[in-house]
Amino acid sequence: MGPTDHHTRTTDDRTLSAAETMMWRLEADPHLSSTFANITVLDRPPDLDRLRRRMEHAVRRIPRLRRCIRPGFANLTPARWVDDPEFDLDTHIRHIALPAPGTERQLLDLTALVLADPFDPDRPLWQFVVVDGLTGGRAALIEKLHHTITDGEGGVRLAMEFLDLQRDAPEPHPTRAEGDGDDAASPPEPGTADADPGQADAVRAALASALRIPLGVVEQVRELLAEPERIPAATATAGDTFAGLLDQVATTGRACSPLWTDRSLHRHIVVGSAPFDDTRRTARRLGGTLNTALLTIAADAAGRYHALSGAAVDALRASMAVSTRTADSGANAFTLARLLVPTAPMPIAERFRAVDDAVRCSTDRSTLPGLEVVATLAAPLPTGILTRLARQQADTVDFATSNVKGSPVPLYVAGARLLHNHPVGPLGGVAFNLTLLSHDGSLDMGMNIDSVAVADPALLEACLADAVDEFTAAAG
C-alpha cells in the first residue's frame, strides 16, 4: 500500500478523533488556533488550470477536503465531518501577485496575513494561495490547512496528491470520490448535511468507554483538569493509569524566559535552510538524530537572543511534537512532550548531549500520554474551561519545535519545480514555533513568531542563522 492509498484509507471516516475534536473546540480562543501552512517557493508560476485539475482529483480522493465540521452532542460525542453541500473549489484556490519588487519579506508578511484569517466554519478547512511576482521570475504556493484535516506528516502525504516527480508528468486519470461508497460524489439531499444517524450509538459508546475506568478516578482527573492548581496535592490518589497525564498538566508556573512574558495575535514569519547532509552528519557524530539537532539549534538561538538582549538565561522550556504514527494511524498521530533545554553558552557537543538526554527522558517514559488520552478525559469540560486549561499549560512553555520528514528528491507542482518548502507551525500560545521539513538535500525551516512576545524578531532570525551555521560547521 503506497502513501496515497494509506492517506485515503485513514481520512475517510466521518468521525473526528477526540484529539481532533479538542483542537476544533480550542478554536474558540484564537491564541490556540492549530492552523498551519507551508510556503512552497517555485522556480516559475505553476499552470493554474493544471493545478486546479489536480486539486479536483485530490478533493475526490480525500474526503476531508470537501467536508466541514459539525460539533458533537453536548461534548459527549466527537465532532463529525459532513459534506459541504455548496462546495466550490474556486473558494479554496486563490491567485494573487505581489507588488514590485516581490521580495521574500513581502511573501512572508502575506503568509502571516493569510494564516491570521480564520477559516469559515461552514466550509472545508483548507486554502491554497498561488503567489506570482517574486523576484527572479519565481512564484510561491501558500498551503494553509487546519490541524483537524491532518498533522504535518499526513500533510506531506496529502501533498503527493498534487505533486509530481517530473516537470511534465502525466496527469492522473479521473477517479471516483473515495470513502463514501457509490454515492460519494453526489451532494447530500437538502436538509441532510447535518444529520448524524449514529449519534445515539456514539453516546452509548462514549458512556460504555467511560465505565471501563473507575468512576471515582475519572471524576478526580476531570476535576483536576478543570482546576490544575490542585494537581500537586492530588496526583497520588489519581492512580498510576493517569500518571503521565498528570505529569504533563502538573506544571502550572510561568515559562522560564524573563523576556518572552507577553502573548498576542501579532505574527512575524522568518524562514531559513540548512544543508541536510552536514546537519545529519553532525547529529550522527554526536550520537543523536535530526530531531535533537533541531531542538539544539532552537535552544542555541534562543540563548543567543537572551544574552544579546542583556537577559541571559540558563534554560528554557520547549514543547516538541512526537509522532505516534503506526500503520493504522488516522490523519493526526502525535503527542507533545515538554522539556527543559540548556540555553547558556556552551560547546555544541555539550548542548547536544544535554538536549538529547532531555529528549530521551521526555519521550522514553512509558507514561507519556498520547494526545488522544488527554482529549478523551477533557472532552466533557465546558469549552471555556477547556480553553482556560490549554492557555494555562501553554503559558508554561517558551517555544515549540516540530520536525517533518519530506521528499529526498526534486518535486514539481503543475509544471513548476519546488525550490524550498518552508513549514509554518501553529503557535498555540508560545513565543515561537520552529518547524523543519526536509526537501531535496535541504532542511527548510519556518519560524512563526509572536512579535509582541519576541520584541526583536530580526535579532532572533539572526541568532537562528548563527546557530545553524555553527551546528553545520561542526560536521567536520
Side-chain angles (χ1 to χ4, degrees):
M1 178 177 295
T4 296
D5 297 328
H6 175 78
H7 181 84
T8 301
R9 178 176 65 83
T10 57
T11 57
D12 62 4
D13 196 281
R14 287 185 176 268
T15 301
L16 278 73
S17 68
E20 291 163 352
T21 298
M22 181 176 69
M23 287 188 285
W24 181 240
R25 291 177 62 200
L26 290 176
E27 289 293 314
D29 183 341
H31 289 84
L32 302 174
S33 174
S34 59
T35 297
F36 65 97
N38 262 35
I39 306 171
T40 303
V41 181
L42 306 170
D43 69 344
R44 70 186 192 188
D47 182 326
L48 293 177
D49 290 337
R50 184 174 173 182
L51 175 62
R52 193 183 189 283
R53 290 193 299 271
R54 291 300 297 269
M55 291 312 299
E56 286 177 341
H57 175 83
V59 164
R60 296 178 69 82
R61 290 272 291 165
I62 303 173
R64 291 189 177 189
L65 295 182
R66 62 180 187 267
R67 292 175 178 165
C68 46
I69 294 176
R70 291 293 177 266
F73 175 70
N75 296 333
L76 287 174
T77 62
R80 302 266 299 171
W81 292 103
V82 299
D83 293 308
D84 177 6
E86 299 179 355
F87 179 76
D88 182 357
L89 190 62
D90 290 331
T91 66
H92 297 274
I93 302 178
R94 300 181 181 181
H95 181 208
I96 63 176
L98 290 175
T103 63
E104 180 182 88
R105 183 71 263 155
Q106 289 175 286
L107 174 63
L108 299 181
D109 290 343
L110 172 63
T111 303
L113 291 175
V114 170
L115 272 174
D117 188 19
F119 283 112
D120 181 346
D122 293 323
R123 295 289 180 264
L125 305 175
W126 66 277
Q127 181 184 102
F128 282 10
V129 182
V130 179
V131 184
D132 291 341
L134 269 70
T135 55
R138 298 171 302 154
L141 178 63
I142 303 171
E143 304 125 274
K144 171 186 173 185
L145 294 93
H146 194 271
H147 231 307
T148 50
I149 292 180
T150 189
D151 57 19
E153 188 172 340
V156 172
R157 297 177 177 182
L158 182 154
M160 295 313 297
E161 293 290 347
F162 60 88
L163 294 177
D164 298 309
L165 297 176
Q166 51 186 314
R167 193 181 292 274
D168 298 315
E171 296 185 36
H173 295 294
T175 179
R176 295 184 59 82
E178 298 184 14
D180 295 314
D182 294 337
D183 298 327
S186 303
E189 294 295 325
T192 65
D194 296 343
D196 184 358
Q199 189 175 84
D201 290 339
V203 172
R204 285 193 291 270
L207 294 175
S209 177
L211 291 174
R212 296 191 188 102
I213 303 172
L215 293 180
V217 175
V218 173
E219 183 63 25
Q220 183 183 15
V221 170
R222 287 174 176 163
E223 288 176 357
L224 295 174
L225 287 172
E227 300 181 66
E229 63 272 10
R230 294 173 47 200
I231 288 174
T235 54
T237 60
D240 291 339
T241 304
F242 300 101
L245 170 63
L246 297 178
D247 179 64
Q248 287 292 298
V249 300
T251 303
T252 57
R254 298 288 299 180
C256 302
S257 171
L259 298 177
W260 302 339
T261 56
D262 296 325
R263 297 292 184 265
S264 76
L265 297 177
H266 296 280
R267 302 291 179 258
H268 184 88
I269 297 172
V270 301
V271 296
S273 296
F276 179 88
D277 288 338
D278 287 347
T279 307
R280 184 176 62 174
R281 189 177 301 116
T282 300
R284 287 180 171 178
R285 185 173 67 81
L286 298 176
T289 65
L290 281 177
N291 210 36
T292 302
L294 175 66
L295 197 49
T296 300
I297 290 170
D300 188 0
R304 291 170 186 260
Y305 180 95
H306 282 76
L308 292 172
S309 301
V313 62
D314 289 336
L316 295 174
R317 184 174 291 111
S319 71
M320 180 180 64
V322 180
S323 175
T324 58
R325 189 168 295 279
T326 67
D328 297 320
S329 294
N332 281 280
F334 70 98
T335 190
L336 297 174
R338 285 186 301 187
L339 59 159
L340 286 174
V341 294
T343 51
M346 63 182 66
I348 293 174
E350 181 181 346
R351 190 188 310 279
F352 189 92
R353 284 193 295 269
V355 170
D356 194 50
D357 288 344
V359 168
R360 293 177 186 277
C361 180
S362 296
T363 60
D364 288 351
R365 283 197 307 257
S366 60
T367 56
L368 181 66
L371 196 60
E372 193 74 6
V373 174
V374 177
T376 300
L377 290 169
L381 296 175
T383 298
I385 294 178
L386 179 64
T387 56
R388 179 172 69 88
L389 170 66
R391 281 293 295 275
Q392 187 170 19
Q393 293 306 301
D395 285 345
T396 69
V397 177
D398 294 290
F399 66 88
T401 65
S402 183
N403 176 23
V404 181
K405 184 179 181 180
S407 171
V409 298
L411 294 173
Y412 301 84
V413 54
R417 180 171 176 169
L418 276 67
L419 300 178
H420 289 286
N421 209 12
H422 299 286
V424 183
L427 273 184
V430 302
F432 74 80
N433 178 314
L434 179 64
T435 302
L436 180 150
L437 174 62
S438 58
H439 168 69
D440 190 21
S442 177
L443 297 174
D444 291 338
M445 291 173 282
M447 181 180 278
N448 193 3
I449 302 171
D450 181 334
S451 57
V452 168
V454 182
D456 192 347
L459 175 60
L460 183 57
E461 179 180 11
C463 291
L464 175 63
D466 289 343
V468 168
D469 289 345
E470 186 171 346
F471 189 87
T472 54

